[in-house]
Amino acid sequence: MEKIYRCWAEVDLEALRQNLLWIKHTVGKGVKIATVVKADAYGHGLKQIAALLMQSGTDVFGVANLNEAEAVRSIGKGWQILMLGACLPKEVHWAVSDDVMPTISSKPEADLFSAEAKRQGKIVKIQIKIDTGMGRLGVWYENALDLINYCRNLAQIKVAGIFTHFSSAEDDKKFTQLQKNRFLKVLGELKKAKIKIPLAHSNNSAGIIHEKDTYFNMVRPGLLVYGIVPKGKRRTKNDIKNHLIPALSFKCHVSYIKEIPAGTPISYGHIFTSKKRMKVAILTAGYGDGYLRAGSNKAQVIIKGKRCNVVGRITMDQMIADVSAVPDLSPGDEVVLIGTQGNEKIDVCEIAEWFGTIPYEVFTSITYRVPRIYRGAYAA
Ligand SMILES: *Cc1c(COP(=O)(O)O)cnc(C)c1O
């Protein structure tokens, strides 16, 4: 029996492969790629995406927790996995036994890893995070050399890399330059002290687009891999957008269609009332699928190649669209929430605006009950 989905996400693996190739080409030879696959690969589905990226030449995986690291390991063995967050004390044993590279920001964290490495008879590669202005993880850059020296003297610990993270690369050139200069200062101190550390990296997707002189020898793209350019105050050249292919489409169906007279209120709370006779369609997606309620009375969808307004409150499993301008509509017709249909296109950035958020949150809001369907040469 053919499988029917009420609401689903289609992921184009060929698009992801192309995006990775474009990133590799852009940063050039000698710069490793740490593809960031946290949060179920930005909602695209971690295992399929990790497999595709392994086949397409990624060097390292960036994850946010050890479950994600395990999932990547279960797909293929030869790749380094960098845990981007700080390990909890109780996770240290797990990280060491699974050979996950931890991010270290302090001496106590380094001590825990050194002790655990000794216990398990292993050499543990770590990376040191340097805070140059993000204000999240990391040792303050002025104290970085001290921490690096401390870690270098610990038994069975190897400092495999140092890195920092830009807070505003898509918005603020000046502040990003300040962060860059702070990071360069640390690299200068290391050089002076004749300390060689294999990896240095700073750039997320926005950094890759806007900060071409801070590729160092690794970059950490997330959003770009999925085909989306982070939007901000800094302008992105059109040719960049043309090279990247959004990999994810989000779709549902029309389940019911009806005509309503003027003055008919629609959905919870009656925030919409028809001004004239109109035709509405009930759609098989709602905030329980991750189509956020914030889009009520604001968002648009594509049906039969036409943009239609979402009217009234979005509910958990259903929402309502004004389909007055769509002829010949039947239950079962496909509705595009994110993606292309006919000549119309809704991209994740547009939806993010309706939802009052960013593409990252739109992707990671798509819930567990929405099946991810894979397309392209690599689909299993
Ligand atoms: C999430 C994350 C990235 C990837 O960010 P994008 O903007 O998606 O490219 C890179 N580095 C760190 C430390 C992260 O947490």
Side-chain angles (χ1 to χ4, degrees):
M1 201 171 67
E2 190 200 350
K3 222 166 183 177
I4 316 272
Y5 304 107
R6 295 180 71 84
C7 173
W8 70 103
E10 284 174 20
V11 179
D12 178 356
L13 295 175
E14 183 57 26
L16 279 145
R17 198 180 68 84
Q18 298 278 348
N19 295 335
L20 181 64
L21 291 181
W22 180 83
I23 296 165
K24 281 167 83 92
H25 172 79
T26 299
V27 299
K29 283 212 174 76
V31 180
K32 287 189 173 180
I33 313 281
T35 43
V36 178
V37 293
K38 62 198 182 194
D40 204 26
Y42 289 43
H44 290 57
L46 177 54
K47 288 195 171 187
Q48 289 271 3
I49 302 307
L52 185 275
L53 293 173
M54 285 173 184
Q55 290 159 348
S56 310
T58 194
D59 299 292
V60 176
F61 285 96
V63 300
N65 66 45
L66 297 173
N67 284 312
E68 293 173 348
E70 259 185 9
V72 173
R73 275 270 181 274
S74 75
I75 298 296
K77 294 272 178 276
W79 283 263
Q80 263 184 356
I81 302 177
L82 174 62
M83 162 80 170
L84 297 167
C87 283
L88 299 170
K90 283 196 167 166
E91 290 176 323
V92 170
H93 172 85
W94 186 8
V96 172
S97 57
D98 279 9
D99 296 319
V100 178
M101 196 154 39
T103 290
I104 301 281
S105 310
S106 68
K107 292 176 183 175
E109 287 171 274
D111 287 338
L112 285 177
F113 273 94
S114 175
E116 186 59 35
K118 214 177 288 171
R119 211 168 292 137
Q120 295 191 28
K122 284 189 171 176
I123 304 286
V124 172
K125 286 186 179 172
I126 64 159
Q127 297 221 12
I128 293 178
K129 182 82 182 269
I130 299 169
D131 185 4
T132 56
M134 171 69 186
R136 196 171 59 179
L137 287 185
V139 58
W140 186 242
Y141 77 100
E142 289 168 316
N143 309 321
L145 190 64
D146 180 47
L147 178 61
I148 293 165
N149 274 322
Y150 182 84
C151 291
R152 281 162 52 84
N153 289 326
L154 286 174
Q156 286 163 285
I157 292 282
K158 246 188 135 69
V159 181
I162 63 168
F163 71 109
T164 192
H165 193 51
F166 293 140
S167 65
S168 330
E170 63 274 49
D171 286 319
D172 190 337
K173 183 171 177 173
K174 234 175 109 185
F175 190 77
T176 309
Q177 298 281 322
L178 174 69
Q179 286 195 269
K180 170 184 127 184
N181 289 334
R182 288 170 169 173
F183 193 56
L184 287 174
K185 191 159 176 281
V186 177
L187 290 170
E189 287 170 357
L190 289 172
K191 200 167 176 199
K192 222 165 117 193
K194 295 198 164 52
I195 298 171
K196 279 215 169 95
I197 292 173
L199 289 171
H201 47 109
S202 62
N203 281 13
N204 57 2
S205 293
I208 291 168
I209 299 290
H210 297 292
E211 301 295 334
K212 295 196 183 299
D213 55 349
T214 52
Y215 292 157
F216 301 109
N217 57 9
M218 191 160 97
V219 291
R220 304 188 305 270
L223 202 61
L224 285 181
V225 175
Y226 308 98
I228 309 299
V229 177
K231 216 165 125 187
K233 293 193 191 94
R234 297 176 75 178
R235 278 202 38 204
T236 306
K237 286 193 205 116
N238 271 334
D239 72 304
I240 291 176
K241 286 186 190 151
N242 294 340
H243 277 106
L244 292 164
I245 312 163
L248 183 140
S249 307
F250 194 14
K251 297 180 178 175
C252 70
H253 287 119
V254 169
S255 66
Y256 178 64
I257 305 146
K258 66 180 173 185
E259 304 248 349
I260 53 170
T264 309
I266 297 285
S267 192
Y268 290 121
H270 292 173
I271 61 170
F272 179 90
T273 300
S274 59
K275 292 202 179 65
K276 51 182 200 302
R277 186 168 185 82
M278 63 190 285
K279 187 167 68 170
V280 294
I282 315 306
L283 314 182
T284 54
Y287 62 76
D289 303 293
Y291 199 87
L292 300 186
R293 189 168 172 275
S296 296
N297 245 357
K298 236 189 257 170
Q300 295 185 327
V301 299
I302 314 172
I303 306 176
K304 296 221 142 178
K306 287 202 163 64
R307 276 187 182 242
C308 303
N309 291 326
V310 170
V311 293
R313 285 248 160 80
I314 292 163
T315 70
M316 192 181 288
D317 317 298
Q318 307 176 74
M319 57 195 202
I320 300 114
D322 176 0
V323 290
S324 303
V326 185
D328 305 326
L329 194 61
S330 322
D333 283 347
E334 193 169 293
V335 179
V336 168
L337 310 174
I338 298 175
T340 307
Q341 197 189 62
N343 297 322
E344 282 292 350
K345 179 179 159 191
I346 292 175
D347 73 14
V348 68
C349 299
E350 195 177 3
I351 270 217
E353 265 168 43
W354 294 325
F355 289 175
T357 183
I358 53 174
Y360 301 82
E361 200 180 22
V362 175
F363 282 149
T364 57
S365 295
I366 299 173
T367 58
Y368 186 74
R369 86 170 171 195
V370 178
R372 273 65 168 173
I373 312 297
Y374 295 93
R375 310 228 181 275
Y378 292 92

